[in-house]
């Protein structure tokens, strides 16, 4: 890819982090913004390549590190170039899990793919074994792709079970998913149940302490 041209465009994009909100973007480049979130904004560079521009170097480095850890799996977009505040990568298409579950049930087969995804997260060294359903994409061949992985790399926190994914599924799908986990990977189910119980107990103790 033409990194010289890309960097000339990046100079005309300013991304600013906001507290508890998506980034603010000033874009005078010819690149079209595809979307934005808490860490950065994504722009289309070509038919198959997008560039994510970050508000700070730390988030950029964390996302690049996470993508590098997962480069030998099929779960993550391919990286083409990296700069101080940007990563150029493959555009991920398909249907995100949030949209999919609005019209389709959470089957045992899909749960098995999600379970394997979470196991892979742990195997490659992610500290946050979790992802929101809107950041998980189903591909035409039934495989999964994952975007926005900066928060899987933490400096001082470890998330040993998929709290965000479970909560984002909604109560009905959460119950279905946990029943699938119990059937497919009972050791994982027992591990998650331990952390879920500890969190519940912590909330109860907090209420006792403050009253």
């Amino acid at each position: 890819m033409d990194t010289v041209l890309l960097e000339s465009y990046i100079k005309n994009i300013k991304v600013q982090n906001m507290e508890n909100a998506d980034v603010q973007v000033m874009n005078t480049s010819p690149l079209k913004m595809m979307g934005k979130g808490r860490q950065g904004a994504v722009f289309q560079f070509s038919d198959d390549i997008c560039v994510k521009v970050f508000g700070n170097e730390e988030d950029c480095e964390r996302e690049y590190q996470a993508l590098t850890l997962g480069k030998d799996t099929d779960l993550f977009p391919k990286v083409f170039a990296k700069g101080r505040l940007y990563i150029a990568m493959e555009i991920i298409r398909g249907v995100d899990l949030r949209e999919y579950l609005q019209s389709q049930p959470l089957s045992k087969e899909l749960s098995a793919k999600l379970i394997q995804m979470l196991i892979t997260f742990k195997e490659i060294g992610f500290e946050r074994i979790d992802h929101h359903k809107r950041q998980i994409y189903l591909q035409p061949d039934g495989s999964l792709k994952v975007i926005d992985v900066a928060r899987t790399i933490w400096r001082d926190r470890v998330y040993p079970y998929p709290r965000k994914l479970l909560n984002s599924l909604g109560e009905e799908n959460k119950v279905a998913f946990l029943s699938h986990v119990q059937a497919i990977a009972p050791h994982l189910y027992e591990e998650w149940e331990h952390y879920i119980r500890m969190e519940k107990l912590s909330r109860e103790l907090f209420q006792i302490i403050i009253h």
Side-chain angles (χ1 to χ4, degrees), residues 116-150:
Q116 186 54 54
M117 176 195 78
L118 295 167
I119 290 171
T120 300
F121 280 7
K122 194 169 186 177
E123 288 176 344
I124 64 178
F126 281 6
E127 294 163 327
R128 180 174 183 157
I129 314 303
D130 202 0
H131 233 57
H132 194 285
K133 64 182 179 182
R134 69 173 178 272
Q135 297 158 337
I136 302 167
Y137 281 75
L138 279 81
Q139 302 300 288
D141 65 358
S143 64
L144 301 180
K145 292 282 189 182
V146 182
I147 64 168
D148 293 341
V149 292

Side-chain angles (χ1 to χ4, degrees), residues 1-208:
M1 63 173 292
D2 189 340
T3 54
V4 174
L5 177 63
L6 174 61
E7 295 203 358
S8 72
Y9 292 158
I10 297 294
K11 290 177 182 177
N12 294 303
I13 299 173
K14 302 298 180 187
V15 173
Q16 182 179 354
N17 291 107
M18 307 300 293
E19 187 173 353
N20 298 320
D22 290 348
V23 295
Q24 284 192 349
V25 179
M26 291 182 60
N27 177 26
T28 56
S29 80
L31 300 183
K32 178 184 176 182
M33 188 168 74
M34 301 173 68
K36 63 178 182 175
R38 297 295 177 94
Q39 288 87 43
V42 178
F43 301 85
Q44 184 165 358
F45 181 68
S46 70
D47 289 343
D48 302 310
I49 299 174
C50 64
V51 57
K52 186 170 183 178
V53 183
F54 294 82
N56 64 71
E57 292 183 44
E58 183 180 20
D59 285 336
C60 184
E61 287 298 329
R62 282 215 304 258
E63 179 131 342
Y64 181 70
Q65 183 184 352
L67 290 169
T68 300
L69 287 172
K71 65 182 174 60
D72 294 327
T73 76
D74 295 325
L75 284 171
F76 308 101
K78 180 180 177 182
V79 174
F80 298 104
K82 179 192 177 295
R84 187 175 64 87
L85 287 171
Y86 76 84
I87 302 172
M89 66 188 93
E90 169 191 11
I91 292 176
I92 298 301
R93 296 186 171 88
V95 179
D96 71 62
L97 188 59
R98 175 178 55 185
E99 291 292 335
Y100 178 85
L101 291 175
Q102 287 185 359
S103 61
Q104 303 299 322
L106 178 61
S107 65
K108 193 172 182 179
E109 292 76 14
L110 177 53
S111 289
K113 294 178 188 292
L114 293 169
I115 291 165
Q116 186 54 54
M117 176 195 78
L118 295 167
I119 290 171
T120 300
F121 280 7
K122 194 169 186 177
E123 288 176 344
I124 64 178
F126 281 6
E127 294 163 327
R128 180 174 183 157
I129 314 303
D130 202 0
H131 233 57
H132 194 285
K133 64 182 179 182
R134 69 173 178 272
Q135 297 158 337
I136 302 167
Y137 281 75
L138 279 81
Q139 302 300 288
D141 65 358
S143 64
L144 301 180
K145 292 282 189 182
V146 182
I147 64 168
D148 293 341
V149 292
R151 289 185 179 272
T152 59
I153 305 295
W154 287 91
R155 294 160 298 174
D156 57 358
R157 278 190 261 178
V158 174
Y159 285 78
Y161 84 99
R163 176 201 293 145
K164 181 178 284 189
L165 176 59
L166 288 172
N167 291 336
S168 73
L169 286 174
E171 195 56 38
E172 184 177 341
N173 283 324
K174 177 181 176 180
V175 170
F177 182 58
L178 285 173
S179 71
H180 296 157
V181 175
Q182 189 172 23
I184 297 168
H187 63 289
L188 207 57
Y189 177 82
E190 289 179 11
E191 182 181 325
W192 294 359
E193 278 291 289
H194 168 74
Y195 291 113
I196 290 169
R197 286 196 302 271
M198 290 302 100
E199 284 197 352
K200 183 174 183 292
L201 179 58
S202 296
R203 287 194 298 270
E204 291 171 353
L205 288 171
F206 175 75
Q207 291 302 318
I208 292 170

